[in-house]
Amino acid sequence: NIVRFSAIHLVSPAIFSDSVHQRLHKGSICVGDPRKTHLISTMVKICCIGAGYVGGPTMAVIALKCPSVEVAVVDISVPRINAWNSDQLPIYEPGLDDVVKQCRGKNLFFSTDVEKHVREADIVFVSVNTPTKTRGLGAGKAADLTYWESAARMIADVSVSDKIVVEKSTVPVKTAEAIEKILTHNSKGIKFQILSNPEFLAEGTAIEDLFKPDRVLIGGRETTEGFAAVKALKDVYSQWVPEERILTTNLWSAELSKLAANAFLAQRISSVNAMSALCEATGANVSEVSYAVGKDSRIGPKFLNSSVGFGGSCFQKDILNLVYICECNGLPEVAEYWKQVIKINDYQKTRFVNRIVSSMFNTVSNKKIAVLGFAFKKDTGDTRETPAIDVCKGLLGDKARISIYDPQVTEEQIQRDLTMNKFDWDHPLHLQPMSPTTVKQVSVAWDAYAATKDAHGICILTEWDEFKKLDYERIFENMQKPAFVFDGRNVVDAEKLRKIGFIVYSIGKPLDQWLKDMPALA
């Protein structure tokens, strides 16, 4: 049940808090002004604007864990909502299908009727795109909050009751303040409380992360109303998350914590990738170095795997955003520090392409290169900012013919990614080019064996488990000779492949004599 408040002032916030706590344990939740106590009981209604990688899985798990809460996920994209209502969900995430099927039609609904569900909701999560600006002030770094502002204006326009509005998108520090002003100036007397509840999901393990999160972070205003709103959202999560893992802060700390977390993770990847270049130059093995470093309890082993570079929707975008915020606050040295994380990531991708070209007699013109993996990581179909895009474009720039296989990425998505302008991917699908120009030098194969047939070289760009189990002897027999493997994820046994006859390049590992004789240009 939900408790809405109106009319009569309480004696004190403490009495209000105790009263709400008792009701919450009976399935009630508090929204609106905590100083008002007229009670109307109904089912709690949550609405999430945005049915993407964050909104869909998060709301599905809330619906599963909170059967007394009605959850609606809304989006203006008809194809996306239709997919959520079908047996073929619009995103691939292990465990997601099962969660959706258990709740859909019961207390979980997917709809394009955005205004209706926002109007009826008590808590509105906003999980819309926040792309990097491509023009104007802050172009190339600042977050474009156009979609967030539109959502806020729509919420203010259609609301007929007090609401808690929750930032779920990754947004710049102080966004809540701007959204609060929009809501307040368009409120028509309705009260809104703004909370920041950033997501810390890792694609490929999102459902597991939602079931057992390291932490849930909720930031709100440090006022009586703000504390009550934080408690209301906290009580939703406490249905399955231990209380000690639910952290509460002020709004600005919550907003900055998300940017900081992604920056720290990306920094670790760039650090180990920088070491991988040095390992190749000195004959060291980056896996051994990473293992030794990770055994230090102060550092730990996570995010120390060298690769062709990081990808995904958040890391680069959030660091660019962080850089812009630092510059705007007169901190150029701090901004420059974080820029280096992205520079190393770009360097790693360029270095990988240069290694391929130099190893193959300094040209890949008209040579078939098999690309195994296009998603930015395994166990997801997400290609946003995947290193594969820059690697493929680099090879296409040298006129290579590319055959791509990924078990979860469609040919349409691959062609779209290879023809799209930078940052266009982070706009809603209906604003992206619908009929991309096909890159004629690119074909998409139905399995790894078809992709590698008659190829001169293989690039492994995603760490899918199936790539470890392929019959490489069969692959070798059907390739042009000399046959090359460029392992951008360090997933294959290089020595076994060398015994078969391959010339192997593994990032950060001691080089083949062949590779030493044909050094890559910087």
Side-chain angles (χ1 to χ4, degrees):
N1 291 327
I2 183 158
V3 181
R4 296 191 181 90
F5 296 85
S6 62
I8 304 170
H9 288 282
L10 288 169
V11 175
S12 73
I15 295 175
F16 161 77
S17 180
D18 291 342
S19 171
V20 170
H21 180 75
Q22 291 167 4
R23 293 187 183 96
L24 282 164
H25 280 276
K26 297 176 183 177
S28 302
I29 189 171
C30 158
V31 299
D33 190 337
R35 295 166 298 182
K36 303 172 183 179
T37 58
H38 181 64
L39 305 181
I40 304 174
S41 281
T42 121
M43 191 175 194
V44 178
K45 291 190 176 182
I46 290 177
C47 175
C48 177
I49 303 173
Y53 281 90
V54 175
T58 303
M59 294 302 112
V61 170
I62 288 177
L64 179 70
K65 298 294 187 180
C66 305
S68 64
V69 174
E70 181 181 303
V71 180
V73 184
V74 297
D75 202 294
I76 60 174
S77 171
V78 174
R80 180 171 283 265
I81 291 299
N82 287 344
W84 278 110
N85 284 317
S86 73
D87 290 331
Q88 188 66 45
L89 300 185
I91 62 175
Y92 172 72
E93 192 66 44
L96 177 61
D97 275 17
D98 184 55
V99 173
V100 171
K101 286 175 182 176
Q102 286 187 62
C103 303
R104 191 172 57 196
K106 297 175 183 176
N107 68 324
L108 175 64
F109 304 91
F110 297 94
S111 173
T112 55
D113 195 343
V114 179
E115 294 186 1
K116 172 183 179 291
H117 289 286
V118 169
R119 185 182 302 110
E120 295 176 353
D122 306 294
I123 302 175
V124 180
F125 286 81
V126 183
S127 184
V128 298
N129 303 67
T130 52
T132 302
K133 290 183 72 173
T134 55
R135 61 188 69 184
L137 186 65
K141 289 178 284 189
D144 183 347
L145 298 178
T146 301
Y147 306 119
W148 232 114
E149 182 176 339
S150 296
R153 291 183 183 278
M154 183 272 296
I155 292 168
D157 187 49
V158 306
S159 293
V160 292
S161 60
D162 296 353
K163 298 190 189 306
I164 296 171
V165 178
V166 184
E167 290 178 339
K168 202 64 184 169
S169 311
T170 303
V171 294
V173 184
K174 297 290 186 180
T175 296
E177 190 171 58
I179 301 306
E180 195 173 54
K181 288 177 180 176
I182 292 170
L183 291 171
T184 300
H185 285 280
N186 293 277
S187 68
K188 299 169 290 188
I190 292 166
K191 302 294 184 184
F192 296 98
Q193 281 299 316
I194 316 300
L195 301 180
S196 175
N197 175 219
E199 56 85 14
F200 295 101
L201 307 179
E203 287 185 47
T205 59
I207 300 302
E208 184 182 341
D209 294 342
L210 286 162
F211 282 171
K212 296 180 180 179
D214 290 335
R215 78 288 203 198
V216 171
L217 180 60
I218 304 171
R221 283 285 192 184
E222 295 176 298
T223 62
T224 302
E225 294 86 351
F227 289 136
V230 168
K231 188 177 188 312
L233 185 56
K234 181 177 179 181
D235 280 301
V236 172
Y237 283 112
S238 66
Q239 299 300 306
W240 79 96
V241 180
E243 187 169 353
E244 64 271 15
R245 293 195 176 188
I246 303 176
L247 314 180
T248 59
T249 67
N250 68 33
L251 272 171
W252 328 130
S253 295
E255 289 179 333
L256 185 55
S257 293
K258 170 62 174 175
L259 296 181
N262 280 342
F264 276 48
L265 293 172
Q267 177 195 48
R268 283 176 72 98
I269 295 172
S270 281
S271 294
V272 74
N273 282 343
M275 293 306 301
S276 74
L278 184 58
C279 285
E280 290 173 27
T282 59
N285 184 322
V286 72
S287 296
E288 295 173 350
V289 173
S290 297
Y291 182 76
V293 170
K295 293 301 284 185
D296 187 324
S297 60
R298 296 168 300 174
I299 299 172
K302 293 185 177 180
F303 277 75
L304 288 181
N305 293 320
S306 183
S307 69
V308 68
F310 60 72
S313 63
C314 290
F315 283 0
Q316 176 162 302
K317 181 176 73 172
D318 288 358
I319 293 173
L320 289 171
N321 196 351
L322 193 61
V323 167
Y324 183 68
I325 292 169
C326 291
E327 291 173 345
C328 290
N329 282 279
L331 302 169
E333 293 84 1
V334 180
E336 195 60 34
Y337 173 82
W338 289 112
K339 280 182 187 177
Q340 297 304 314
V341 174
I342 292 177
K343 285 184 178 179
I344 286 292
N345 197 53
D346 290 339
Y347 165 72
Q348 189 78 339
K349 290 179 284 189
T350 301
R351 189 169 85 78
F352 189 78
V353 172
N354 290 346
R355 177 67 71 183
I356 295 168
V357 175
S358 64
S359 300
M360 300 176 73
F361 312 102
N362 216 34
T363 180
V364 291
S365 180
N366 206 36
K367 293 177 181 176
K368 180 180 178 180
I369 307 295
V371 170
L372 300 186
F374 199 82
F376 85 91
K377 63 186 287 190
K378 73 173 184 176
D379 293 334
T380 180
D382 193 353
T383 61
R384 293 176 293 179
E385 294 288 358
T386 175
I389 294 174
D390 287 333
V391 171
C392 287
K393 285 183 175 180
L395 294 172
L396 290 169
D398 206 68
K399 300 182 178 179
R401 292 182 295 112
I402 300 177
S403 181
I404 301 171
Y405 166 67
D406 188 289
Q408 289 296 333
V409 183
T410 65
E411 180 172 5
E412 179 187 3
Q413 186 61 54
I414 289 170
Q415 289 286 357
R416 184 188 297 276
D417 287 332
L418 293 177
T419 54
M420 209 179 298
N421 293 325
K422 194 171 180 65
F423 302 129
D424 278 357
W425 59 266
D426 204 14
H427 291 270
L429 194 61
H430 69 284
L431 296 179
Q432 296 176 12
M434 293 305 293
S435 300
T437 304
T438 300
V439 181
K440 293 179 180 178
Q441 303 99 306
V442 174
S443 62
V444 177
W446 61 89
D447 68 13
Y449 300 105
T452 56
K453 183 174 173 57
D454 295 323
H456 291 77
I458 300 170
C459 299
I460 301 175
L461 300 183
T462 310
E463 69 280 21
W464 287 103
D465 291 337
E466 68 179 82
F467 298 155
K468 301 175 184 178
K469 305 169 186 175
L470 294 173
D471 183 347
Y472 282 99
E473 290 187 1
R474 172 185 167 188
I475 288 173
F476 180 77
E477 289 173 3
N478 291 315
M479 287 180 65
Q480 300 289 328
K481 308 298 185 297
F484 296 85
V485 172
F486 302 94
D487 187 357
R489 297 288 180 171
N490 285 336
V491 297
V492 299
D493 187 327
E495 286 308 313
K496 282 186 179 179
L497 266 57
R498 289 183 181 117
K499 288 177 182 176
I500 292 171
F502 286 103
I503 296 165
V504 183
Y505 167 67
S506 297
I507 280 189
K509 303 291 184 70
L511 299 176
D512 272 354
Q513 188 58 49
W514 180 291
L515 300 174
K516 290 179 182 177
D517 293 340
M518 294 186 172
L521 299 175

